[in-house]
Amino acid sequence: MSHAEAIPAATVVVMRDGGGGLPELLMVERSRAMSFAGGALVFPGGRIDPGDHLFTDTHEDSAARVAAIRETIEEAGLALGLDCDAATLAKIREDLHAGRPFAQLLAEASLALDLDVLVPFARWLPYGLPHRVFDTRFYLARAPEGAAPLVDGSENVRLCWITARGALDAADRGEAMLIYPTRRNLERLALFDGFDAAMAHARRFPVETITPFVESRDGVDWLCIPEGLGYPVTAERMDRAVRA
């Protein structure tokens, strides 16, 4: 599959201050019925729709930011870069679920998006998978004050606020499933004591497209990513890696 055939997608790591001194991340558990990452714990996000290009410039990053904001509303009922009350947000979410265009809903409510609330963090493009391949841009965002997300109950069956280390530990205990990119990103996010530290770190590393590759080490295959992109762990045994 060529780069052009990959499905453009976007996801966002929403962070809030945690009671234990470590930031908590908003994660959703995918329905096991979903063909991609069924049953996995992931960050809110999804594919970039044609309508996400309608009220931005032609740069793919802008459409990806719109998609990340739209998907977070759809999946978690959480508004990023959007100044509106709870009733308006609930109506927009309901209309999105009904298939109405996001740009039209914002125009009707006289609302504009602040795309700058999203900080570029990573871009992953895995190949060699037995299903559709996604070219996914990851962003960081600070949780809005008083955020009270609600699961959509269709694509996702549960949502939670959890620390990066907490999610990794849950997976190691067999209580959660993490696909390879999510695990690597959680290991990176576990380095930070808050949103500001994560944002500063992200800005030190220009976003490069990450395509995992297989490397044999002493007769054992490892799934690897390049060094120097901000990730503390860059390899995992193939027989332990979850590739959706």
Side-chain angles (χ1 to χ4, degrees):
M1 173 178 288
S2 70
H3 187 290
E5 293 175 299
I7 299 170
T11 191
V12 58
V13 180
V14 183
M15 305 179 70
R16 73 174 188 183
D17 293 335
L22 293 176
E24 294 177 331
L25 317 174
L26 179 63
M27 302 195 75
V28 296
E29 182 180 327
R30 302 266 292 169
S31 167
R32 294 188 180 277
M34 301 300 292
S35 60
F36 174 76
L41 203 60
V42 300
F43 304 112
R47 68 173 63 207
I48 300 171
D49 291 340
D52 297 325
H53 294 267
L54 295 181
F55 47 96
T56 71
D57 57 41
T58 58
H59 197 283
E60 189 70 22
D61 176 69
S62 297
R65 291 172 189 246
V66 173
I69 292 172
R70 175 181 52 74
E71 288 282 347
T72 304
I73 294 174
E74 291 184 28
E75 296 186 1
L78 194 68
L80 303 171
L82 192 59
D83 186 11
C84 65
D85 58 34
T88 301
L89 175 60
K91 180 64 165 59
I92 290 174
R93 188 187 195 192
E94 179 183 355
D95 287 344
L96 284 172
H97 285 164
R100 295 193 63 200
F102 192 28
Q104 182 179 341
L105 298 177
L106 294 181
E108 290 175 357
S110 299
L111 294 171
L113 294 180
D114 179 6
L115 300 183
D116 291 336
V117 301
L118 300 185
V119 178
F121 185 66
R123 183 176 181 179
W124 283 70
L125 177 55
Y127 284 133
L129 299 175
H131 52 67
R132 294 168 295 178
V133 170
F134 291 89
D135 178 3
T136 306
R137 297 173 188 258
F138 287 76
Y139 298 91
L140 304 176
R142 193 190 303 271
E145 289 293 328
L150 295 170
V151 71
D152 69 5
S154 56
E155 290 187 6
N156 306 303
V157 297
R158 179 174 71 95
L159 61 74
C160 61
W161 290 104
I162 190 169
T163 65
R165 178 47 55 191
L168 291 165
D169 290 345
D172 290 342
R173 293 193 300 267
E175 298 169 2
M177 184 175 80
L178 300 174
I179 60 175
Y180 186 85
T182 305
R183 179 175 281 275
R184 299 288 83 82
N185 280 308
L186 285 167
E187 290 159 351
R188 185 178 175 189
L189 291 161
L191 301 173
F192 313 127
D193 61 6
F195 179 79
D196 290 339
M199 179 173 62
H201 177 90
R203 288 176 172 166
R204 286 202 302 271
F205 292 90
V207 172
E208 297 182 17
T209 301
I210 297 172
T211 296
F213 58 93
V214 179
E215 183 175 276
S216 180
R217 301 178 180 179
D218 298 323
V220 177
D221 284 344
W222 291 72
L223 189 60
C224 309
I225 61 174
E227 301 282 348
L229 299 179
Y231 289 85
V233 179
T234 58
E236 184 177 358
R237 283 177 54 138
M238 278 289 290
D239 58 353
R240 297 173 184 169
V242 179
R243 304 195 72 194

